[in-house]
Amino acid sequence: MGQRIVPLAFTLVSIPLIAAAQAPMLGAPGSFTTSEALPATAPVPVQTGAVSKSSAEPGDLPIAVRADRVRRSRGCTEAIELYREAVAARPDDGYSHYLLGYCLHGTGDTEAAIEAYTRAARFPAQRANALYNLACALALEGRPDDAIAALSDAIDLGVRDHDRSGFQVAGDADLESLKADPRFRAQIRRLAGDAYEPGEIPRWDPSAAAEGLAEVMNVIEHRHPNAFRYTSLAEFKSHAKAILDNIDRLDEETHALELMRIVARIGDVHTSIWPVPGSRILTNTLPLRLWRFADGLYVRAASLQHAALVGTRIERIGSFDVNAGWERLVADNPRENDSMATGWLQYLLLLPAFHRLNGWDAATDAATLEIVDREGVRRRVTLDAPQDPAYGHALESSLGIADVPESWVSAVAGETRLPTWLEETDSNYRFERLGDSGAYYLAVNLPRHDPERPWENFLSDLFAEMGRQDATRLVVDLRHNAGGYHYMAYSLGRHIVRSDALRRAGGVCVLTSRTTQSAGVSFSVVLERETHAVFAGEPGGAAPNFYNGPQGFFSPRAIPGTQLRVKHSVSMIQDSDQRDTRRAIAPDIPTPLTFADFAAGRDPGLEACLQLDDGTAAEYLSDAGGRPLPLYFQWRRPSQDAMFPDGPPRHY
């Protein structure tokens, strides 16, 4: 079982690892089994993580709520009897029927799970999920006819390849017994298209390039809700035609990068081109991790073999002059804004295929760099670019400044204590008191619930402690926040609004960076809209109102003639005013980070937040004439003017 359909209130806003998008796996190690889904009609629980065993379960809570809490904190085995009591007490509670099946399935009692799923499927809100999981349970019980019928009905009800984990239908271990059945393959083709062949990696076929480009154009032009807000359809078609005109001179990797570049022109991080699973294209990467600091492009981390390169400044890559050509490179590789483009370039520059695409070098598995080392000596080095384990491995650890592959050497590795903003960046969220400053530091790195400390409990602990300590400022660090559950931002906003100490100009200081994307942007917008927050750091990596809900990201179907697939957004996340056309939220206090700052453990952004006084904060939140802006118009404060593509909006 693998289907998880997420209702609107639980939209995932992210590009994170696939595993993070799945519910906790149950059953034997290595098998993908039950995924929990929250139907749109189910009440949204205040607490969605684990609760400690010592926490009392109030007897006056509905039995279904108690069952949910036990399942989350102690697992399905202990929750089964409570769910049985819940459905006995409330036979019309379809969600409890579904979760009873979920728990029975996960603990191996598939026969009983079939009965529970069958009952759950009678309720419209649970029908699609229940039928999919029913198909899985029936397959495990050796009932192929019934399993395929249930799967077909689930697909009729909207189970699709883009529903977060619908792509796993083809690889779901519970459906293994069906995979040789032509009827099962027919159902998969309903999801993935007629070209799909399970387990087959397509071959590069330039003769099919026109068909492939037509498919990409169709997706962008007809399925994306607003693909041409930053580029015109005519410009897009012109770039596509240029690829076709040169197809005979393109190899597979260059063609892939060209397709990625034209799709990037629409300026939507959730719409892009990606290699299909198992593809080996675009996997040769330099054993470095780069960062574009205020004073140049530096090697921030490297493999052990190349540890001597850590801290060197890159002046040239092949024939490319990094400093002289950077702005042009950003313009030629568009994303939603320059911050996002810079983040992606830090990854693309690791690919010799990208160097060749731009005419800097002809090699496909090596690169020549001109560097200035930490002693100021300029020299040339030639590096091999071995194959990474898979496409995306280098990307994931290139986008965040704190991300370093295991056993690699980092520019800050020798510090006895990492600076606050680089500590525990793998934790979903954390807080600490900042000495005697009267301020607390809250890092929201990955807005997903931590089972050990659910978000609501965590926030209650934070604000209770801030109250006891008479805290006067909250620094919210979103610099590592590239995505997650955007709705979690509203809980944080409510706590701040209820705090007398923070409900003033500068009571909240928000730190953003090029890595602040997707749900990180949603957090930024909610804090801008609902609190008197001042922003520091660098612009985030996406517009305040951005497109999301990507379809096709995990589709097994390749673009014809390629080892690529296309994903595209289907809806807008609109947390800001509908007139807000900014490309990003600009920092009120720009705090450029130099490599020397980074290596020394300095954090200019945090320093700016701690030095902020209330009078200066009030000036940031006023118009050009010094008039305080209402909360709902703070997106129009003067610091934001440069972020509007057509100039700041007129006053109403």
Side-chain angles (χ1 to χ4, degrees), residues 36-173:
E36 176 190 354
L38 295 177
T41 57
V44 177
V46 173
Q47 178 174 300
T48 60
V51 293
S52 65
K53 291 188 179 182
S54 60
S55 299
E57 299 290 354
D60 58 349
L61 284 176
I63 186 66
V65 175
R66 284 188 279 146
D68 291 346
R69 290 189 173 186
V70 169
R71 172 177 52 82
R72 293 182 184 122
S73 61
R74 303 198 284 274
C76 265
T77 301
E78 295 189 39
I80 287 173
E81 290 307 316
L82 286 172
Y83 280 123
R84 283 183 169 138
E85 291 180 34
V87 297
R90 293 285 303 273
D92 60 340
D93 178 9
Y95 190 37
S96 288
H97 285 289
Y98 173 76
L99 290 176
L100 174 59
Y102 167 85
C103 284
L104 290 165
H105 191 156
T107 54
D109 191 350
T110 50
E111 188 174 343
I114 288 170
E115 296 180 14
Y117 287 143
T118 301
R119 290 192 296 271
R122 297 170 185 163
F123 298 88
Q126 277 73 47
R127 184 165 173 76
N129 280 1
L131 283 169
Y132 179 81
N133 291 334
L134 175 62
C136 293
L138 288 165
L140 289 172
E141 286 291 309
R143 296 167 58 181
D145 296 345
D146 294 336
I148 289 171
L151 177 61
S152 177
D153 289 344
I155 294 171
D156 287 343
L157 289 168
V159 173
R160 298 181 299 276
D161 71 289
H162 58 265
D163 279 330
R164 283 272 306 285
S165 49
F167 75 100
Q168 291 166 357
V169 175
D172 197 323

Side-chain angles (χ1 to χ4, degrees), residues 211-232:
E211 181 187 353
L213 256 176
E215 180 165 314
V216 172
M217 289 295 299
N218 178 64
V219 167
I220 300 304
E221 186 176 354
H222 299 295
R223 299 186 192 177
H224 193 287
N226 185 14
F228 304 109
R229 59 176 178 164
Y230 298 143
T231 187
S232 70

Side-chain angles (χ1 to χ4, degrees), residues 8 24 47 82 140 200 216 279 287 304 306 314 329 363 397 415 431 470 490 604 612 633:
L8 182 61
Q47 178 174 300
L82 286 172
L140 289 172
E200 180 179 297
V216 172
S279 168
L304 281 172
H306 300 287
I314 300 177
L329 185 64
S397 59
E415 299 294 321
F431 72 80
D470 296 322
Y490 296 100
L612 181 66
F633 274 153

